[in-house]
Amino acid sequence: MTKKRLLSGIKSTGRTHIGNYFGAMKQWVDLVNDYDSFIMVADYHSLNFVQNAGEMRDLTWNMVIDYLAVGLDPKKVVIFKQSDVSAHTELCWIFDTLITMPFLMRAHAFKDAEAKDKEISVGTFNYPVLMAADILLYGPDVVPVGQDQKQHVEYARDIAEKFNHIFGETFKLPKEMIVENVAVVPGIDGRKMSKSYNNYIPLFAGDDEIEKLCMAIVTDSSGDVPTNVYAIHKLFRSEEELKAIYDEHKGKYKILKEKLIEDVKAFIKPLRDKRRLIAEDTDYIRQVIKEGGERAKEIANKKLVEVKEKIGVN
Ligand code: AMP
């Protein structure tokens, strides 16, 4: 029996944080034996934010190391760079000709950018279409993501349906996979943890950094339980264990933050140690990217040939 397929990825726009890990990466690792998995570094999406060659190379390279450090085994998972597979941008163009501006104007990311009165690049506006191409080329059954990406997977489904309707059955309709209690991991200010809000705890943070960030978690002094501390603590311990700790130290926010610090440190240290070792082996990392790119290209190009035939440009 053939395995079901999974595809996901992260933009290489900064340091990976615990929101990325619990919201998405952990699922990739947990599901590695159940799914035929494709995990990409979404570097062409990053180009909307990172417009410096050195920084781009560095961020992409580091993201691959992060993937390996959390436990993705390249023998079981295809790890690749989006920009290595030109079929993504080619299919994006084909989709661009099928969909309308009002359809894309409904995207949350676009609306948010517009509300902030930002100068919006065509790439940012078109983000959901490139993401649809990223997904649909591989025919995944599921796309494990955090809640913020739900709409983008819906876009991929809508675009696939439209293409299938016009040109005949070509794309499998993908489904988002969102784990409810980690759908939105909060940052140290209580808003969604995000690189752009600068409210994140890096997944490979050093001990000093962990202390500083956890101590800076925003608390109000109205209750026994500091809500934002608890919400982050929940990622590292069961609610049962937390109940004992939070009951014992009711209202003592400093002690509760120290307890959180202990748990975050204990969780991050082995990951950080593993990452340091992997980072030293540059030949291995280069090989992972090369082989992953080749494998991804095989699958994606095959789909693109089918698409080109359907639209009559072969
Ligand atoms: P990005 O950094 O926007 O490329 O996101 C990479 C993945 O991490 C996506 O699946 C996001 O949905 C997920 N993610 C990012 N931030 C959070 C968060 N605060 N809580 C849960 N998932 C998140």
Side-chain angles (χ1 to χ4, degrees):
M1 208 179 82
T2 52
K3 275 187 190 171
K4 287 194 169 183
R5 189 168 285 177
L6 172 160
L7 177 130
S8 194
I10 300 185
K11 286 193 298 292
S12 45
T13 49
R15 294 169 77 189
T16 306
H17 55 69
I18 62 171
N20 298 134
Y21 179 76
F22 288 102
M25 294 167 116
K26 184 172 184 299
Q27 280 66 262
W28 309 344
V29 178
D30 290 348
L31 295 169
V32 77
N33 292 318
D34 304 331
Y35 286 85
D36 180 22
S37 302
F38 290 76
I39 303 293
M40 67 170 187
V41 178
D43 54 351
Y44 269 158
H45 286 291
S46 309
L47 194 56
N48 281 312
F49 306 88
V50 181
Q51 290 165 353
N52 172 294
E55 207 184 326
M56 176 66 90
R57 276 188 207 104
D58 204 41
L59 287 165
T60 306
W61 181 259
N62 276 295
M63 185 61 75
V64 174
I65 302 174
D66 291 355
Y67 285 175
L68 297 169
V70 296
L72 289 181
D73 175 357
K75 290 197 194 75
K76 295 183 178 170
V77 179
V78 179
I79 297 174
F80 70 103
K81 258 169 63 203
Q82 179 190 29
S83 62
D84 277 345
V85 189
S86 55
H88 290 232
T89 42
E90 222 176 318
L91 184 60
C92 176
W93 172 257
I94 295 168
F95 288 158
D96 275 341
T97 64
L98 304 182
I99 59 165
T100 65
M101 304 259 293
F103 171 72
L104 282 185
M105 282 170 165
R106 292 200 292 269
H108 300 317
F110 169 69
K111 283 191 192 159
D112 289 351
E114 207 184 27
K116 287 179 195 142
D117 207 18
K118 279 193 190 160
E119 272 199 17
I120 302 161
S121 70
V122 175
T124 301
F125 181 62
N126 215 23
Y127 183 119
V129 189
L130 180 56
M131 186 161 156
D134 299 336
I135 297 172
L136 297 174
L137 278 171
Y138 300 87
D141 299 277
V142 293
V143 183
V145 285
Q147 181 69 27
D148 57 347
Q149 291 291 341
K150 183 175 192 285
Q151 194 195 31
H152 288 148
V153 184
E154 285 164 2
Y155 265 112
R157 245 187 344 257
D158 288 349
I159 292 172
E161 273 188 315
K162 185 152 191 189
F163 187 100
N164 289 349
H165 179 70
I166 300 173
F167 296 106
E169 202 59 28
T170 309
F171 294 111
K172 184 189 277 182
L173 304 188
K175 212 173 154 21
E176 66 278 3
M177 177 190 266
I178 299 176
V179 178
E180 208 182 306
N181 56 348
V182 287
V184 185
V185 172
I188 61 169
D189 59 359
R191 291 186 293 172
K192 186 194 102 162
M193 185 173 287
S194 165
K195 284 170 260 195
S196 53
Y197 294 154
N198 205 11
N199 63 352
Y200 62 92
I201 300 177
L203 182 58
F204 302 95
D207 281 354
D208 290 353
E209 203 177 7
I210 295 170
E211 280 171 27
K212 206 170 127 229
L213 288 166
C214 290
M215 278 302 170
I217 295 174
V218 175
T219 50
D220 59 30
S221 47
S222 59
D224 291 335
V225 174
T227 320
N228 294 335
V229 179
Y230 187 85
I232 296 176
H233 216 159
K234 244 179 17 180
L235 303 166
F236 301 93
R237 266 186 198 276
S238 71
E239 303 228 19
E240 227 173 33
E241 288 173 316
L242 286 181
K243 187 173 175 345
I245 297 171
Y246 281 71
D247 279 353
E248 190 186 339
H249 303 287
K250 225 178 235 179
K252 296 181 187 133
Y253 289 8
K254 181 157 180 287
I255 295 178
L256 291 169
K257 282 184 175 178
E258 284 163 359
K259 296 278 173 202
L260 171 65
I261 289 169
E262 266 172 45
D263 287 342
V264 178
K265 279 185 182 171
F267 177 80
I268 287 183
K269 186 175 184 311
L271 286 176
R272 209 174 51 217
D273 291 347
K274 187 169 172 200
R275 190 186 191 286
R276 195 177 307 119
L277 283 180
I278 293 169
E280 283 168 10
D281 197 348
T282 51
D283 286 346
Y284 172 63
I285 299 161
R286 212 167 278 124
Q287 184 195 340
V288 167
I289 297 172
K290 183 170 175 286
E291 287 175 5
E294 281 163 7
R295 178 82 187 107
K297 249 184 263 178
E298 261 173 50
I299 309 278
N301 289 347
K302 207 164 143 209
K303 193 62 173 181
L304 191 65
V305 166
E306 186 190 341
V307 169
K308 284 184 162 181
E309 193 169 322
K310 292 265 170 71
I311 63 174
V313 300
N314 57 327

